[in-house]
Amino acid sequence: MSAPPVRTLADLDGDVLAHCAGYLGARDVASLAMACRPLRAAAYCDAVWYRLFRDQWPFEEVPRGALGLRELYIRRHTEVHQMKFDDPLSAIYRLNPAEATPSHLMLDRNSIWVCQGPVAKKLSVDWPEAEVVETHRNHGARITCMRLFSLSDTPLFRSDTQKNEKALVTSSTDRTIRLCWKGHSRCYKGHSAPVTALADKLLADSESKVLASGGEDCTVRLWSMSTRAKNHPLIATFHGHEKALSFLSVARHKSSLLVSSSKDSKVKVWDTVAPSSGSSSCVGSTHINSSGPPIAMKCHESLCYMATGSEVTAIDLRTMKKASVLALHNHRILSCEMLLSEWLICTGRKDKALLWDIRKAQELPNIVTEMQSDGPVTLLHLDPYKVVTGVPSDGQVHVWETRTGELLNTLSCGEPARSGVRTTVSAMALDGCRMVMAGSSPEGSVLHYRDFLRSSAPVPLAGEEVSRFWRPHQFCENGDESEDEDYY
């Protein structure tokens, strides 16, 4: 008896494939399109992208004939991530004026983490209100660094129902590190001086994850995130730096390597697999000649990029040699953001922000665009869609298009109705099309949250008529929606 013929996805009818693709999200549909030609044809079907558009923006009108629905979805997605609208969902939360000015901010969807002196808070935004859902007063002094890690990688994890939760890790000048989630907390003690740095990722271990910290005692310490290490979480202490630690970053080409930098611009690489206390775990070291302490550090593949003084230096972690140098010619770097997957680096200085393409040869002009400023750019954000720059004394930030440097929007930290009140910006955080700013005024500190996902009114440009495309769609009371019939 002969075997039945082998069937593949390519044997299915195109309409069937398109129907199946209709159950996927936008990211999965994009992945489906890269599999093969039949699946690409199904993934590019207008009916699929019509549903995705309607799910994301149910009240937006879908025009006919201008673009394919996939292109329309991409354009709309780009517009909201570039924050090119005047009517985002907005929520303002007033902080206790008796507490310190916010110094650290993090944003994850509708959750905001903010630090005020020794206090860390989590706010949940349920438009138009924002409320504090967690308050952690575990530290006895100012918080110096704040990180979010998956709760499942920490000893506070208990069940699969918590797998999407995030745990907060903070370091402080009180020489301790705190791991917090809701009402639970763990304290890690071992540093003999203020803790100044936490690693940007957890290190990989054979049994559990490992947290790295650095402090003014010039040591790097490793802490086990295993539940079995509750009483003795300190794994190792690395010596070798002569100044306080500034940054810690996990190497991307090997997750057991930890890169550390100190205030004297010395960079060291540590092998954290079966570590031994002391300096024997140091597998690489170099020094960057600089007139100032490190401003930013980030690892990408086998390279480590560090901004110091007026330069951004790339170090090959395999040889500890300088791979390239980006020089600003005696202009001190005040802030630096890196989008290394796109080969872009943005630097802030006293009068502007500069966006650099680091793929171009060093002897060629490699400035992508310049973004002018009325003061020192100390607040900076960079992603594939936008650059956000801020001068603390201005009380507002500017949003620029990443590739062209075109000014897209200007956003104030204070309330629009209270334009006479002078507000300064102390911190900002962004997550996709969402932004939160922390500011202060004579009336106290505020958090201003904006979500551009459902925006519909574009920012009016000088000499340009506002397009009717983004006006909210008005549904007829009798339910007459003829355009739905075009796709189903």
Side-chain angles (χ1 to χ4, degrees):
M1 184 176 180
S2 60
V6 178
R7 299 289 185 181
T8 66
L9 282 174
D11 294 322
L12 295 177
D13 180 78
D15 291 339
V16 174
L17 292 175
H19 179 77
C20 295
Y23 291 95
L24 303 176
R27 187 179 295 273
D28 292 329
V29 170
S31 299
L32 186 70
M34 295 186 289
C36 62
R37 290 183 179 179
L39 292 180
R40 179 182 179 182
Y44 279 21
C45 177
D46 271 355
V48 173
W49 289 95
Y50 180 82
R51 181 193 62 81
L52 291 171
F53 191 99
R54 272 281 180 250
D55 288 347
Q56 191 73 282
W57 302 288
F59 301 111
E60 291 298 328
E61 182 179 0
V62 180
R64 304 179 186 181
L67 292 171
L69 287 175
R70 174 178 170 272
E71 289 76 16
L72 190 65
Y73 181 98
I74 293 173
R75 189 174 76 175
R76 171 68 176 172
H77 177 84
T78 300
E79 298 267 8
V80 297
H81 278 73
Q82 290 179 337
M83 303 181 172
K84 299 174 68 172
F85 296 91
D86 261 346
D87 60 339
L89 296 181
S90 178
I92 293 180
Y93 180 82
R94 299 195 174 280
L95 299 166
N96 186 345
E99 296 180 335
T101 300
S103 56
H104 301 277
L105 270 181
M106 290 190 299
L107 179 62
D108 182 35
R109 293 186 178 272
N110 294 335
S111 296
I112 303 170
W113 284 263
V114 57
C115 288
Q116 293 178 273
V119 181
K121 298 178 181 179
K122 178 184 177 182
L123 290 85
S124 178
V125 179
D126 185 10
W127 187 82
E129 301 295 331
E131 63 174 344
V132 176
V133 294
E134 295 180 32
T135 300
H136 304 285
R137 303 181 183 273
N138 304 308
H139 287 295
R142 178 178 58 88
I143 292 174
T144 58
C145 190
M146 180 168 60
R147 296 279 188 259
L148 284 178
F149 298 118
S150 174
L151 183 66
S152 60
D153 292 331
T154 73
L156 300 181
F157 181 72
R158 293 293 181 268
S159 68
D160 288 341
T161 59
Q162 305 168 342
K163 63 182 180 180
N164 294 325
E165 296 283 344
K166 297 288 183 67
L168 176 69
V169 180
T170 55
S171 62
S172 171
T173 55
D174 66 1
R175 307 179 184 182
T176 67
I177 301 164
R178 294 280 180 170
L179 169 65
C180 305
W181 177 71
K182 294 187 176 179
H184 307 278
S185 176
R186 289 276 179 95
C187 181
Y188 299 90
K189 297 181 179 180
H191 284 280
S192 59
V195 186
T196 54
L198 296 172
D200 56 352
K201 292 177 59 179
L202 295 177
L203 291 152
D205 191 14
S206 56
E207 297 182 356
S208 65
K209 298 291 186 177
V210 174
L211 172 68
S213 64
E216 290 186 6
D217 56 3
C218 307
T219 65
V220 176
R221 298 177 188 257
L222 303 183
W223 311 87
S224 174
M225 292 288 102
S226 170
T227 54
R228 291 177 292 180
K230 179 178 179 179
N231 297 325
H232 303 284
L234 182 61
I235 299 174
T237 301
F238 296 152
H239 301 272
H241 282 287
E242 299 174 355
K243 297 292 183 180
L245 274 294
S246 297
F247 296 99
L248 295 171
S249 183
V250 178
R252 297 306 188 257
H253 71 297
K254 190 175 182 180
S255 59
S256 63
L257 293 182
L258 177 69
V259 184
S260 62
S261 65
S262 54
K263 292 189 180 299
D264 56 1
S265 298
K266 288 185 178 180
V267 180
K268 293 184 180 293
V269 180
W270 311 89
D271 187 354
T272 63
V273 175
S276 59
S277 294
S279 59
S280 59
S281 293
C282 182
V283 295
S285 179
T286 189
H287 179 255
I288 297 176
N289 295 322
S290 171
S291 59
I295 302 298
M297 186 179 78
K298 191 169 186 177
C299 290
H300 177 65
E301 297 178 349
S302 62
L303 298 176
C304 175
Y305 293 82
M306 191 164 76
T308 58
S310 59
E311 296 180 348
V312 180
T313 304
I315 302 169
D316 190 331
L317 298 177
R318 298 165 297 184
T319 63
M320 298 309 294
K321 302 293 185 181
K322 293 182 181 179
S324 63
V325 177
L326 185 67
L328 271 67
H329 305 296
N330 300 322
H331 290 284
R332 188 164 66 94
I333 297 174
L334 302 178
S335 56
C336 182
E337 284 291 320
M338 308 178 195
L339 186 62
L340 300 176
S341 60
E342 303 286 337
W343 304 102
L344 294 174
I345 292 179
C346 192
T347 55
R349 44 183 261 195
K350 65 179 181 179
D351 58 351
K352 67 179 69 175
L354 301 175
L355 186 65
W356 306 82
D357 185 344
I358 58 177
R359 290 173 297 181
K360 298 182 179 180
Q362 188 172 347
E363 62 274 8
L364 297 176
N366 51 2
I367 296 178
V368 176
T369 186
E370 298 184 8
M371 293 151 284
Q372 300 297 322
S373 173
D374 293 331
V377 181
T378 58
L379 301 174
L380 194 60
H381 169 83
L382 172 64
D383 65 37
Y385 301 98
K386 60 189 174 295
V387 178
V388 183
T389 62
V391 178
S393 59
D394 279 354
Q396 60 186 12
V397 299
H398 301 286
V399 184
W400 315 79
E401 204 278 323
T402 298
R403 297 294 176 179
T404 65
E406 175 190 358
L407 181 61
L408 304 175
N409 207 343
T410 298
L411 304 170
S412 172
C413 185
E415 296 182 67
R418 303 173 65 86
S419 56
V421 179
R422 183 171 180 81
T423 305
T424 60
V425 183
S426 59
M428 70 177 184
L430 289 94
D431 179 26
C433 59
R434 302 171 180 88
M435 169 190 285
V436 61
M437 286 188 284
S440 59
S441 69
E443 300 176 351
S445 298
V446 298
L447 295 178
H448 195 159
Y449 170 88
R450 291 178 172 92
D451 185 349
F452 288 82
L453 183 63
R454 303 287 190 239
S455 301
S456 59
V459 175
L461 301 177
E464 182 175 290
E465 182 181 356
V466 176
S467 170
R468 297 178 59 187
F469 170 76
W470 299 121
R471 292 183 182 176
H473 181 59
Q474 302 294 326
F475 292 97
C476 300
E477 293 183 1
N478 60 9
D480 183 14
E481 282 293 320
S482 60
E483 61 183 8
D484 286 355
E485 299 174 0
D486 296 339
Y487 300 104
Y488 295 96

Coordinates of all heavy atoms in Angstrom, one line a residue, residues 355-397:
L355 N 23.2 63.4 15.6 CA 22.9 62.0 15.3 C 24.0 61.5 14.4 O 24.2 62.1 13.3 CB 21.5 61.9 14.7 CG 21.1 60.4 14.5 CD1 20.9 59.7 15.8 CD2 19.8 60.4 13.7
W356 N 24.7 60.4 14.7 CA 25.8 59.9 14.0 C 25.5 58.6 13.4 O 24.9 57.7 14.1 CB 27.0 59.8 14.9 CG 27.4 61.1 15.6 CD1 26.8 61.5 16.8 CD2 28.4 62.0 15.3 NE1 27.4 62.7 17.2 CE2 28.4 63.0 16.3 CE3 29.3 62.1 14.2 CZ2 29.3 64.1 16.3 CZ3 30.2 63.2 14.2 CH2 30.2 64.2 15.2
D357 N 26.0 58.3 12.2 CA 26.0 57.0 11.6 C 27.4 56.4 11.7 O 28.3 56.9 11.1 CB 25.6 57.1 10.1 CG 25.5 55.7 9.4 OD1 26.0 54.8 10.0 OD2 24.9 55.7 8.3
I358 N 27.5 55.4 12.6 CA 28.9 54.9 12.9 C 29.4 53.9 11.9 O 30.5 53.3 12.1 CB 28.9 54.3 14.3 CG1 27.9 53.2 14.5 CG2 28.6 55.4 15.4 CD1 27.9 52.5 15.8
R359 N 28.6 53.6 10.9 CA 29.1 52.7 9.8 C 30.0 53.4 8.9 O 30.9 52.7 8.3 CB 27.9 52.1 9.0 CG 27.0 51.2 9.8 CD 25.8 50.8 8.9 NE 25.0 52.0 8.7 CZ 23.8 52.0 8.0 NH1 23.4 50.9 7.5 NH2 23.1 53.1 7.8
K360 N 29.9 54.7 8.8 CA 30.8 55.4 7.8 C 32.2 55.5 8.3 O 32.5 55.5 9.5 CB 30.2 56.8 7.5 CG 28.8 56.8 6.9 CD 28.3 58.1 6.7 CE 26.9 58.1 6.0 NZ 26.4 59.4 5.7
A361 N 33.1 55.6 7.4 CA 34.5 55.7 7.8 C 34.8 56.9 8.6 O 34.1 58.0 8.5 CB 35.4 55.8 6.5
Q362 N 35.8 56.8 9.5 CA 36.0 57.9 10.5 C 36.4 59.2 9.8 O 36.2 60.3 10.3 CB 37.1 57.4 11.5 CG 37.3 58.4 12.6 CD 38.2 57.8 13.7 OE1 38.5 56.6 13.6 NE2 38.7 58.6 14.6
E363 N 37.1 59.1 8.7 CA 37.6 60.3 8.0 C 36.5 61.0 7.2 O 36.7 62.1 6.7 CB 38.8 60.0 7.1 CG 38.5 59.0 5.9 CD 38.6 57.6 6.3 OE1 38.7 57.3 7.5 OE2 38.5 56.7 5.4
L364 N 35.4 60.3 7.0 CA 34.3 60.9 6.3 C 33.3 61.6 7.2 O 33.1 61.2 8.4 CB 33.5 59.9 5.4 CG 34.4 59.2 4.4 CD1 33.6 58.1 3.7 CD2 34.9 60.2 3.3
P365 N 32.5 62.6 6.7 CA 31.5 63.2 7.6 C 30.4 62.2 7.9 O 29.9 61.6 7.0 CB 30.9 64.4 6.7 CG 32.0 64.6 5.7 CD 32.7 63.3 5.4
N366 N 30.1 61.9 9.1 CA 29.2 60.9 9.5 C 28.0 61.4 10.4 O 27.4 60.7 11.1 CB 29.8 59.7 10.2 CG 30.7 60.1 11.3 OD1 30.8 61.3 11.7 ND2 31.4 59.2 12.0
I367 N 27.8 62.7 10.3 CA 26.6 63.3 11.0 C 25.4 63.1 10.2 O 25.4 63.5 9.0 CB 26.9 64.8 11.3 CG1 28.1 65.0 12.3 CG2 25.6 65.4 11.9 CD1 28.3 66.4 12.6
V368 N 24.4 62.4 10.7 CA 23.1 62.2 10.0 C 22.3 63.5 10.0 O 21.8 64.0 9.0 CB 22.3 61.1 10.6 CG1 21.0 60.9 9.9 CG2 23.1 59.8 10.5
T369 N 22.2 64.1 11.2 CA 21.4 65.3 11.3 C 21.8 66.1 12.6 O 22.4 65.5 13.5 CB 19.9 65.1 11.3 OG1 19.2 66.3 11.3 CG2 19.5 64.3 12.6
E370 N 21.5 67.4 12.6 CA 21.7 68.2 13.8 C 20.4 68.7 14.3 O 19.6 69.1 13.5 CB 22.7 69.4 13.5 CG 24.1 69.0 13.1 CD 25.0 70.2 12.9 OE1 24.6 71.3 13.3 OE2 26.1 70.0 12.4
M371 N 20.2 68.7 15.6 CA 18.9 69.1 16.2 C 19.3 70.3 17.2 O 19.9 70.0 18.2 CB 18.2 68.0 16.9 CG 17.7 66.9 15.9 SD 17.7 65.2 16.6 CE 19.4 64.8 16.6
Q372 N 18.9 71.5 16.8 CA 19.3 72.6 17.6 C 18.5 72.7 18.9 O 17.4 72.2 19.1 CB 19.0 73.9 16.8 CG 19.7 74.0 15.5 CD 21.2 74.1 15.6 OE1 21.7 74.7 16.6 NE2 22.0 73.4 14.7
S373 N 19.2 73.4 19.9 CA 18.6 73.5 21.2 C 18.9 74.9 21.8 O 19.9 75.5 21.4 CB 19.2 72.4 22.1 OG 18.8 72.6 23.5
D374 N 18.1 75.3 22.7 CA 18.3 76.6 23.4 C 19.1 76.5 24.6 O 19.3 77.5 25.3 CB 16.9 77.2 23.7 CG 16.1 77.6 22.5 OD1 16.7 77.9 21.5 OD2 14.9 77.6 22.6
G375 N 19.6 75.3 24.9 CA 20.4 75.1 26.1 C 21.1 73.7 26.1 O 21.0 73.0 25.1
P376 N 21.7 73.4 27.2 CA 22.4 72.1 27.2 C 21.5 70.9 27.2 O 20.5 70.8 28.0 CB 23.2 72.1 28.5 CG 22.4 73.1 29.4 CD 21.9 74.1 28.4
V377 N 21.7 70.0 26.2 CA 20.8 68.8 26.0 C 21.3 67.7 27.0 O 22.2 67.0 26.7 CB 20.9 68.3 24.6 CG1 19.9 67.1 24.4 CG2 20.5 69.4 23.6
T378 N 20.7 67.6 28.1 CA 21.0 66.6 29.1 C 20.0 65.5 29.2 O 20.2 64.4 29.8 CB 21.1 67.2 30.5 OG1 19.9 67.9 30.9 CG2 22.3 68.2 30.5
L379 N 18.8 65.7 28.5 CA 17.8 64.7 28.4 C 17.7 64.2 27.0 O 17.6 65.0 26.1 CB 16.4 65.2 28.9 CG 16.3 65.8 30.3 CD1 15.0 66.4 30.5 CD2 16.6 64.7 31.3
L380 N 17.8 62.9 26.8 CA 17.9 62.4 25.4 C 17.3 61.0 25.3 O 17.5 60.2 26.2 CB 19.4 62.3 25.0 CG 19.8 62.1 23.6 CD1 19.2 63.3 22.7 CD2 21.3 62.1 23.4
H381 N 16.6 60.8 24.2 CA 16.1 59.4 23.9 C 16.2 59.2 22.4 O 16.1 60.1 21.6 CB 14.6 59.4 24.3 CG 13.9 58.1 23.7 ND1 14.0 56.9 24.3 CD2 13.2 57.9 22.6 CE1 13.3 56.0 23.6 NE2 12.8 56.6 22.6
L382 N 16.5 57.9 22.0 CA 16.7 57.6 20.6 C 16.1 56.2 20.4 O 16.3 55.2 21.1 CB 18.2 57.5 20.3 CG 18.6 56.9 18.9 CD1 18.1 57.8 17.8 CD2 20.1 56.8 18.8
D383 N 15.2 56.1 19.3 CA 14.7 54.9 18.9 C 14.5 54.9 17.3 O 14.9 56.0 16.7 CB 13.4 54.5 19.6 CG 12.2 55.4 19.3 OD1 12.1 55.9 18.1 OD2 11.4 55.7 20.2
P384 N 14.1 53.9 16.6 CA 14.1 53.9 15.2 C 13.2 55.0 14.6 O 13.3 55.3 13.4 CB 13.6 52.5 14.8 CG 14.0 51.6 16.0 CD 13.8 52.5 17.2
Y385 N 12.2 55.5 15.4 CA 11.3 56.4 14.8 C 11.6 57.9 15.2 O 11.2 58.8 14.4 CB 9.9 56.1 15.4 CG 9.4 54.7 15.0 CD1 9.5 53.7 16.0 CD2 8.8 54.5 13.8 CE1 9.1 52.4 15.6 CE2 8.4 53.2 13.5 CZ 8.5 52.2 14.4 OH 8.1 50.9 14.1
K386 N 12.2 58.1 16.3 CA 12.3 59.5 16.8 C 13.5 59.7 17.7 O 14.1 58.7 18.3 CB 11.1 59.9 17.6 CG 10.8 59.0 18.8 CD 9.5 59.2 19.4 CE 9.2 58.2 20.5 NZ 9.1 56.9 20.0
V387 N 13.9 61.0 17.8 CA 14.9 61.4 18.8 C 14.1 62.4 19.7 O 13.4 63.3 19.2 CB 16.1 62.1 18.1 CG1 17.1 62.6 19.2 CG2 16.8 61.2 17.2
V388 N 14.3 62.3 21.0 CA 13.6 63.2 21.9 C 14.7 63.9 22.7 O 15.6 63.3 23.3 CB 12.7 62.5 22.9 CG1 11.9 63.6 23.7 CG2 11.6 61.7 22.1
T389 N 14.7 65.3 22.6 CA 15.7 66.0 23.3 C 15.1 67.0 24.3 O 14.0 67.4 24.1 CB 16.6 66.9 22.4 OG1 15.7 67.8 21.7 CG2 17.3 66.0 21.3
G390 N 15.8 67.2 25.4 CA 15.2 68.1 26.5 C 16.3 68.9 27.2 O 17.4 68.4 27.4
V391 N 15.9 70.1 27.5 CA 16.8 71.0 28.3 C 16.0 71.2 29.6 O 14.8 71.7 29.6 CB 17.0 72.4 27.7 CG1 17.8 73.3 28.6 CG2 17.7 72.2 26.3
P392 N 16.5 70.8 30.8 CA 15.7 70.8 32.0 C 15.1 72.1 32.3 O 13.9 72.1 32.8 CB 16.8 70.4 33.1 CG 17.8 69.6 32.4 CD 17.9 70.2 31.0
S393 N 15.7 73.2 32.1 CA 15.2 74.5 32.4 C 14.0 75.0 31.5 O 13.3 75.9 31.8 CB 16.3 75.6 32.4 OG 16.9 75.7 31.1
D394 N 13.9 74.3 30.3 CA 12.8 74.7 29.4 C 11.4 74.2 29.8 O 10.4 74.8 29.4 CB 13.1 74.1 28.0 CG 14.1 75.0 27.2 OD1 14.5 76.0 27.8 OD2 14.6 74.5 26.2
G395 N 11.4 73.2 30.6 CA 10.1 72.6 30.9 C 9.4 71.9 29.8 O 8.2 71.7 29.9
Q396 N 10.1 71.6 28.7 CA 9.5 70.9 27.6 C 10.6 70.1 26.9 O 11.7 70.2 27.1 CB 8.9 71.9 26.6 CG 9.8 72.9 26.0 CD 9.2 73.9 25.2 OE1 7.9 74.1 25.2 NE2 9.9 74.7 24.5
V397 N 10.1 69.2 26.0 CA 11.0 68.4 25.2 C 10.6 68.5 23.7 O 9.4 68.8 23.4 CB 11.0 66.9 25.6 CG1 11.5 66.7 27.1 CG2 9.6 66.2 25.4

